Structures are given as C-alpha cells and as structure tokens.
C-alpha cells in the first residue's frame, strides 16, 4: 500500500495521481497559529509508504513540506518519496553575486533530510537535482504541453530564450508539425527588465506558440508576445510548465495580446489545463 499526502498547494495533482492508481489519498490538516506559523499534520495517516506531493510555491509551502515529511515519519512511515512538481528557489541555482547563498542547494539539503527519494518536474536547471542528498529523478512535462493545442495554422514554436529550446522542440514534436525558433534574452538583474532579440524567422500570419518553463512576472512572455504581434504574427499562444503568474502577470499577458495561456497543474491556477499526473505516475512506477 502507498498513501499520497498532498500539501495544501498541490491537492489537484495529488488527486489526479490517486485517480491514476499511484496510491490512496490521506487528508492532512493545514492550520496556522496566530503568530503566522503553519502546522500541517496527517491525523489519518497509517502506512509504511508515503508519497508527499508538494509544490514549494512560497516560504510557507516549504515549511509545510518539511512538516508533512516529519509527520509521516512520526506516524510510522519507513519509506518516504517526495514529489515536488514545482521547486521554489530553483532559479537561485548559483550565487550570482559575492555573498549570496545558493538557495536551491539550501532548500534541497533541508528536504533531503526527510525523504528517501525526490521527484522533480522540469526544474529550471536540471543540475539542481545534484543538490539533493538522496536519489532524485527529473520528470519532463514538455510532451504534454501540446495537448490543448489544435488546428494551428502553419505553426512556429518559439522559445523566448536559448534555455527553453528543448521544451519548444518537444512541444512541437508532441503537436506533430511545425517549425521551432528561439529569441536571445538579456535580463537586467537589478531591475528585472528583459530585453528580447527576435530571430529572423518569418512570423507573418502564422500561429505562434511561445513555450517556456516558467511564467513568473510575465515579463519574458509578454515581451515575446509583443514582439511577435508587432511583426504581424497571427494568433500567439503562451504555454508553460509552471504558471507562477506573480503580481500582474496575467494582465501583462492579456495586454500583450495573448490568444490563450496554458499551464500545468504543478501550480494550481485557473489556466492549469494540462495535468502532469501521467508523467509523474510513470516516473513513480519505474523507480
Ligand atoms: C528564465 O530563464 C526562465 O526560463 C523564464 O523565462 C523566466 O523565469 C520567466 O520569468 P518572468 O516571467 O519573470 O520573466
């Protein structure tokens, strides 16, 4: 028997994993004290094997994950798998300036103490898997991103920077036709502003699918959409694995003229139309 233990942030995906036959669900409690501290508990948990499913979308979610790991061990679990569909702090994978921490390593070390293995979905840099002190598997959701797309006219799949080229190619392959291209991107790390240099690919009248791993502030994606619309593209679709959608991201994308915005359920958002459950279930099955 295996019991799935969802964090408060990742309940839909955990339910989809249960529906896929990965395990049965337990219902944790998620409480908060007057001083702001969280308390996640597993009053009904009674199993040897636990799979915790927790996207660390903010600082509270990190603490909740650690609490759930500790709670299932206290309740007798001898084998704990931790599925982290979205790894927060994953983009802080190096010290960009003197004196900075490698935050992805710091959180990975903390998470490793409470688990026997980790499963990640498309972390921003695959090398963050090396920061965990337990066996860590990376699942790619890129092949699922094409699911909601159909009847595209002469499509071009565009990566808004070189780092997303593979995602764009895999999405194109899953769709079954179309070309791929990418933009050059420079980010000013003091202001957060991004500057995109488009390629010379012909975009006039074509359906364009911009594919990225994360939409956070929406700066990168809205910049790409604006450039493409200025150059006479037909419809511009924005697809991503992790729809962080911080602050005014949705408004920025709408103002830029996006035709449709698609993300996955690694983060629960209204646009999480694609479930990564099949890919995660496969990875858990083959461990
Ligand atoms: C960066 O290299 C990533 O692939 C994304 O392009 C980036 O994280 C998106 O961030 P934002 O939405 O804030 O521009």
């Amino acid at each position: 028997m295996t019991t799935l233990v969802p964090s408060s942030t990742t309940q839909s995906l955990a339910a989809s994993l249960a529906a896929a036959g990965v395990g049965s669900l337990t219902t944790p409690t998620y409480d908060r004290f007057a001083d702001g501290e969280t308390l996640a508990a597993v009053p009904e948990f009674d199993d040897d094997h636990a799979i915790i499913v927790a996207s660390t979308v903010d600082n509270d979610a990190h603490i909740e994950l650690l609490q759930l790991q500790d709670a299932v061990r206290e309740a007798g679990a001898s084998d704990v798998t931790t599925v982290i569909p979205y790894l927060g702090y994953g983009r802080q994978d190096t010290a960009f300036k003197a004196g900075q921490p490698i935050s992805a390593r710091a959180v990975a070390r903390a998470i490793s103490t409470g688990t026997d293995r980790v499963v990640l979905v498309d972390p921003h840099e695959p090398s963050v898997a090396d920061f965990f002190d337990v066996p860590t598997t990376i699942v790619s959701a890129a092949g699922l991103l094409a699911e909601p797309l159909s009847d595209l006219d002469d499509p071009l799949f565009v990566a808004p920077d070189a780092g997303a080229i593979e995602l764009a190619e895999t999405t194109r392959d899953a769709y079954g036709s179309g070309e791929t291209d990418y933009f050059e991107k420079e980010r000013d790390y003091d202001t957060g502003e991004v500057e995109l240099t488009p390629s010379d690919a012909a975009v006039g009248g074509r359906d364009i699918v911009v594919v990225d791993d994360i939409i956070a502030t929406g700066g990168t994606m809205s910049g790409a959409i604006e450039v493409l619309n200025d150059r006479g593209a037909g419809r511009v679709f924005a697809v991503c694995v992790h729809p962080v959608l911080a602050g005014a991201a949705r408004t920025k994308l709408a103002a830029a003229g996006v035709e449709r915005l698609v993300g996955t359920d690694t983060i629960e958002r209204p646009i999480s139309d694609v479930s990564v459950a099949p890919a995660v279930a496969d990875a858990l099955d083959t461990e």
Side-chain angles (χ1 to χ4, degrees), residues 91 124 160-161 163-164 185 187 189 192 194 212-221 249 252:
R91 290 183 293 173
H124 179 61
D161 58 37
K185 179 170 95 175
R187 186 186 288 272
Y189 283 98
V194 294
D212 208 351
D213 59 338
I214 300 170
I215 301 178
T217 65
T220 302
M221 190 58 89
K252 272 188 210 166

Side-chain angles (χ1 to χ4, degrees), residues 86 91 185-196 212-226 238 240 242-256 261 267 269:
Y86 172 70
R91 290 183 293 173
K185 179 170 95 175
E186 293 276 349
R187 186 186 288 272
D188 180 328
Y189 283 98
D190 291 323
T191 64
E193 295 293 311
V194 294
E195 188 181 334
L196 294 168
D212 208 351
D213 59 338
I214 300 170
I215 301 178
T217 65
T220 302
M221 190 58 89
S222 61
I225 294 165
E226 276 165 17
C240 69
H242 307 296
V244 174
L245 298 178
R250 265 168 284 191
T251 304
K252 272 188 210 166
L253 294 162
L261 180 56
I267 303 178
R269 296 283 185 252

Side-chain angles (χ1 to χ4, degrees), residues 123-235:
H124 179 61
E125 285 294 338
S127 58
V128 299
D130 299 336
F131 292 149
F132 291 87
D133 298 323
V134 293
T136 298
T137 303
I138 291 179
V139 171
S140 174
L144 302 168
L145 290 176
E147 273 175 8
L149 304 172
S150 60
D151 300 325
L152 298 177
D153 186 5
D154 190 17
L156 178 66
F157 292 79
V158 175
D161 58 37
I165 291 173
E166 214 175 299
L167 269 183
E169 287 175 349
T170 307
T171 307
R172 185 273 314 273
D173 292 347
Y175 181 74
S177 66
E179 294 178 304
T180 58
D181 198 4
Y182 73 99
F183 287 3
E184 301 284 352
K185 179 170 95 175
E186 293 276 349
R187 186 186 288 272
D188 180 328
Y189 283 98
D190 291 323
T191 64
E193 295 293 311
V194 294
E195 188 181 334
L196 294 168
T197 309
S199 72
D200 295 329
V203 299
R206 301 175 74 175
D207 280 344
I208 313 293
V209 182
V210 189
V211 188
D212 208 351
D213 59 338
I214 300 170
I215 301 178
T217 65
T220 302
M221 190 58 89
S222 61
I225 294 165
E226 276 165 17
V227 168
L228 290 161
N229 280 331
D230 286 350
R231 296 172 67 200
R235 300 176 298 174

